[in-house]
Each structure stands twice: as structure tokens, then as C-alpha cells.
Amino acid sequence: MTHPSPRLPRDRARRRAYGWLAAVALVLTAPAVVALAGPATATGTPVTSDVAAAGAWSSRTAGGMATQLYVPTSEPALAAGRALMVNLHGCVQTSTDLRNGGNWATTADEHGMVVAVPAAPNGGVILGCWDYYDTSHSRSNPARHDDNLLRLVDNLLGDASLGIDPNQVYVSGLSSGGGETMVLGCLAPDVFAGIGIDAGPTVGTTSGQIGYVATTQAQATSTCRGFASTAAPSFDTQVTSVVYGSSDTTVATGYNTLNAQVMAGIYGATARSTFSLSGLEGTNTAGTGTLWSDVAGPRVSLVANSNVGHAWPAGGGPGGPYISTSSVSYPAYVTDFFFEHNRRVDRSGEPTDPPTDPPTDPPTDPPTEPYCGAASNAEHQAAGRATSYGVDPYNPFYAIGSLDYLGQGDATVTTLRETTEGRFDLVTAC
């Protein structure tokens, strides 16, 4: 797909939105950073090259955005090709913050996955925010961020050196990035096989409604389906992961459960179950997990991580602004969830045990018919059908098994039939 380049209309929209976004931006500034910032971010300047170095971060411009790109040295985990994870930062956070502290490299190496972390165009609507808000989203509107992100995906899919499988394209994000993740999942379910929403407001809400749940499941479902339009059939094979910190005081925690319910309802995933976080990767696995499944398996996962605020749950690494290191490793969890439950990927080329010939019984001699025939007593004896003692011509013979008397003399002719294995009876004829 192709999309027009951003032009002046976006700048006008940005100016219009500035006033009513200023209030929410204040909520997301200094106090939240003090409460949620982890250790200082790693220092260093990213490589400024459009050629991605394997096993390292580099940068490229695509879709009108500067993007941090990680390409692993490992082979893709699935034979169909590499997966692509687009990761969206939150307000008052940068793509460099997520590059340095998001804890993506290890997971990307384990799965042979490309990770792209774009910066919101033109510095975002304000303070780096993505424009997830309201209901006027489309694939090609140059005044919004949706077309930038879709053109980024097109650019990366078109780079043959990356080897990305279009059936393994995922998007995840925090806060406004989480809200934009849900927008993209609704707007282009044919593009994104999986969406990972971290503390994101629900589609159709405004930026001034982050502190309380301002919509219903029915309204949000209608908005999401409206965004999809003719691409709605692709919801049949999309999966969703939702994560949030139970101590989040910036975005109402109720949005997370609502987001999961909206997507589960759209997918027709009605079977609900719970799971423990204790086996997940990370430094803090306290909390609860909920799973929505259909007849074919899991479709939507909701993770509530205890004692985590409004942050990207990195679960380790150096941390950074709005990045929690005392949390589950969401990069590891969401990637595993997507890889395991992707309904689109061609798994026919996955390695299997080498084929073996079906086991057979060891060869045996072909079965023979029971013996029946006339022969001299000496011949019967030589063949193991008779026994004798004495000296010819006065030596008596007896049939093996039955001990039937066969007369005397080596030359006497008798007829024997094998009636059971190893038993011979004297008969008059066969």
C-alpha cells in the first residue's frame, strides 16, 4: 500500500489540538517522571545510517519518522521469515528511551525478530504524544499519525534484506502509544497480526478523558469496527495482548480491561480463564492474568502487574523515563504470546523430526504346508519324521510324535502326514 507524504494539514491539526492537549500533557510531565523514571538511560549516539547492521541498533527515516531499528544476527524462529515489532513510545518519552531501556534486544535475538521504534512525527501532537484520540482516523489522512506508521511498515516490508514475513507484523505501545496501537489494530487488522496495548486509552476517547473510563464496550466496539471498514474480516485471525500496572494513576486502569473485552468481543472469544504470572520472565511477577479464547485457542491476554505505575514494563535492563525495571518483561511476554498464537503464519516449513520408515516385523521364512508324503523309512528318519533302532533289515521304525509303528527295514515305504508341528501320523494316502 502507498500513502501520501505528510503536509501542512498535519501542522494545522497540531496547532488546533495544542490547547486542549496541554492539560493532559501537564499530567504527564515532571511529577510522573519523578515517580516512574528508572535508572539513567544508556548514553551514546545511534548509528545514522539507512543500512541496518545485524545485531545492532541503527536508524532510518521512513513514513516521515526517524526510526530506531534493531536487526538480530539470529535466524528467524519461524521458517516463514522474520517477525516485525513496531514499538510506540508514550508522551514525555522518546524512541531513544525505548531503544536504550525497553529491553528489546534479547527478545529480538531469541526470536530472530526485527524491532522498529519510531519517533512521533514532528515531535508528536505535544510532548511526543501520538494522536490516538477521537474517531477521525483513516489509512491515508496526512493530518494524523496513522498513515505515517502504515508507510513505515510498507518501507520495512519492502526491504528484502530484512526478510520480514507480512503475516508476522505486530505493534505495541505505551500510553498514547498504546492508544495508537489499538487504533492501528482496529484500522488495519489486515496489516497487524497482533497488537500489544500498554495502559492505552480506548479508541474513540479524547486526550482529556485519560483519568476515567469515558466510553462503553458497545461504543468502543462500534468505533473499532468502523475504523476497520472492509478490512474487518481480518479480525478473524488477529490476537491482542493488554498489559498495565495496577498502581497506574495516569491512565484509568479500567481502560485496560475494557480494551481486552472490546477485542475479545470482536474476535468472538467468549471462554474466559485466569493464569498466574509467576512463570513469566521479569523481576516482578506479582499480579493476575486473564485469557479470552475461542474454540481454536487463546485470542486476548490481559496482564495486571502489581506495584507497577504508568510505565513500559521492561522487566530488566537500565530503565529510563516511564520504563519500569521492577516488572514482568513485557517484550518477552508479548512476543511469546504473538509467536505462539499467530493465526496467519505459515508453519508448514517448521523443522520436524526426520521421517522414518514405518517399523516392520523382521523377515521370516515363508510359511510352508504341513508335510504329507510317501517315502522309505530310512528317508523319513533322515528328514526327522521317524526314528529307529536295530540293524537293517530287522530294525523297527516309529513315527516322530505319534510313535506309529512303520514296520521294519530301511527300504519299507510308508506314508506320513504332519498333523501338528513336530507330530507325524501314519496314513494310507495323502
Side-chain angles (χ1 to χ4, degrees):
M1 66 185 75
T2 58
H3 306 276
S5 300
R7 305 237 193 278
L8 290 177
R10 170 170 290 130
D11 295 331
R12 291 198 294 271
R14 182 184 175 202
R15 288 195 296 271
R16 287 196 303 270
Y18 186 93
W20 53 271
L21 277 172
V24 66
L26 291 175
V27 175
L28 298 176
T29 52
V33 173
V34 171
L36 297 169
T41 58
T43 59
T45 303
V47 179
T48 55
S49 169
D50 282 343
V51 179
W57 289 98
S58 62
S59 67
R60 73 165 60 190
T61 299
M65 300 176 294
T67 300
Q68 308 292 328
L69 192 68
Y70 186 85
V71 181
T73 56
S74 53
E75 292 297 315
L78 300 178
R82 293 197 186 282
L84 167 65
M85 176 67 75
V86 179
N87 189 219
L88 307 181
H89 59 76
C91 300
V92 198
Q93 189 183 56
T94 67
S95 58
T96 301
D97 293 332
L98 282 181
R99 179 202 68 183
N100 292 338
N103 203 20
W104 276 114
T106 299
T107 295
D109 287 337
E110 288 176 352
H111 293 82
M113 179 176 70
V114 174
V115 178
V117 188
N122 303 315
V125 179
I126 182 174
L127 298 175
C129 295
W130 297 91
D131 64 351
Y132 69 87
Y133 47 83
D134 73 41
T135 59
S136 59
H137 291 270
S138 77
R139 293 189 185 225
S140 58
N141 184 354
R144 305 305 297 263
H145 293 160
D146 314 314
D147 72 309
N148 297 86
L149 291 164
L150 290 171
R151 286 190 289 119
L152 168 65
V153 172
D154 280 349
N155 176 272
L156 298 178
L157 288 175
D159 186 343
S161 70
L162 298 177
I164 296 171
D165 174 15
N167 289 320
Q168 298 181 72
V169 176
Y170 310 118
V171 60
S172 58
L174 163 67
S175 193
S176 68
E180 180 63 17
T181 291
M182 189 172 185
V183 168
L184 290 173
C186 294
L187 186 66
D190 54 320
V191 174
F192 298 101
I195 59 174
I197 308 167
D198 176 13
T202 302
V203 289
T205 59
T206 71
S207 62
Q209 296 173 327
I210 63 173
Y212 63 98
V213 176
T215 189
T216 65
Q217 182 176 345
Q219 290 172 328
T221 298
S222 177
T223 300
C224 184
R225 288 190 179 278
F227 285 172
S229 185
T230 57
S234 293
F235 284 133
D236 291 345
T237 54
Q238 190 183 63
V239 294
T240 293
S241 169
V242 180
V243 67
Y244 69 101
S246 64
S247 299
D248 190 342
T249 57
T250 301
V251 173
T253 56
Y255 275 125
N256 301 281
T257 300
L258 177 59
N259 292 342
Q261 291 171 335
V262 168
M263 301 314 295
I266 290 173
Y267 299 159
T270 57
R272 181 173 171 174
S273 59
T274 60
F275 62 94
S276 171
L277 309 188
S278 61
L280 302 187
E281 292 185 35
T283 54
N284 166 18
T285 57
T288 59
T290 308
L291 202 63
W292 285 262
S293 303
D294 59 16
V295 293
R299 297 295 300 277
V300 177
S301 170
L302 174 64
V303 170
N305 204 175
S306 298
N307 304 314
V308 177
H310 188 68
W312 175 257
Y322 291 99
I323 296 173
S324 173
T325 58
S326 178
S327 63
V328 298
S329 173
Y330 190 56
Y333 176 78
V334 70
T335 303
D336 285 344
F337 184 78
F338 287 164
F339 268 67
E340 183 174 355
H341 302 297
N342 185 310
R343 300 276 178 102
R344 302 177 184 178
V345 67
D346 179 5
R347 301 178 189 269
S348 62
E350 292 184 45
T352 58
D353 293 330
T356 57
D357 293 329
T360 57
D361 294 327
T364 58
D365 294 331
T368 56
E369 293 293 328
Y371 174 82
C372 185
S376 68
N377 285 342
E379 291 171 338
H380 285 314
Q381 183 181 27
R385 298 186 290 266
T387 184
S388 177
Y389 61 91
V391 179
D392 184 73
Y394 303 107
N395 49 331
F397 285 82
Y398 300 89
I400 296 294
S402 67
L403 296 180
D404 286 347
Y405 178 62
L406 306 183
Q408 293 181 324
D410 293 347
T412 302
V413 175
T414 53
T415 302
L416 295 180
R417 181 193 299 276
E418 186 177 17
T419 52
T420 59
E421 185 176 355
R423 176 189 171 94
F424 298 88
D425 292 326
L426 177 66
V427 295
T428 56
C430 290

